[in-house]
Amino acid sequence: MATKNLSAYDLNSVPDGKEMKFGIVVSEWNYEITGALMRGAIETLKKHGVQDDAIVVNHVPGSFELTLGGQFFAEYTDVDAIILLGCVIQGETRHFDFICQGVAKGATDLNIKYNLPVIFGLLTTDNQQQALDRAGGKLGNKGDEAAVTAIKMVSLQKNFEYESNIE
Ligand code: DLZ
């Protein structure tokens, strides 16, 4: 099965992000990759109208800490959505599985606990090359995809809130 280019999307399908505010949590592990994910996410948010001062970035030591970094944003700030960016590369031990499962479960729980879009921007790859391919390489940038997802989810939530207020 061909892998989709992560940066390919219909520009017109993305709402205007002018009034939206985002928190981004970036893992320092594999920073060559995660830094590229972060740059892609920021660039994409700005491309869709998000203001510079409406994008707040914080770093955490590794992907396992992404969940708590996301929780800090949810608890202490007024962001409309949180983007979690990390990269876990398969090694010889089962650490990979534990981290990936932990972050997937953690991100899911944050979405529900805070009724807030928390976007799972975690690359989980077999090797470094697969990660590079998805961090601005031949398969696009997962940071772009995460940013577009975040804008769409904020817009969806705002629509629901608007509808519920006029009923
Ligand atoms: C320990 C560890 C390992 C082996 N591999 C990765 C990785 O590929 N990607 C990543 O983001 N973090 C890794 N870590 C660090 C853990 O995410 C975490 O920071 C430590 O286990 C401390 O909680």
Side-chain angles (χ1 to χ4, degrees), residues 27 29-30 61-65 87-89 95 99:
S27 163
W29 258 80
N30 300 315
S63 292
F64 191 76
E65 286 72 42
C87 171
V88 193
I89 299 176
H95 213 97
I99 296 175

Side-chain angles (χ1 to χ4, degrees), residues 79-113:
V79 295
D80 297 305
I82 300 159
I83 299 171
L84 307 181
L85 298 175
C87 171
V88 193
I89 299 176
Q90 178 74 277
E92 290 180 353
T93 70
R94 294 189 60 210
H95 213 97
F96 175 91
D97 301 315
F98 293 123
I99 296 175
C100 297
Q101 282 165 17
V103 183
K105 170 83 167 60
T108 305
D109 289 351
L110 288 180
N111 276 279
I112 307 308
K113 178 176 172 188

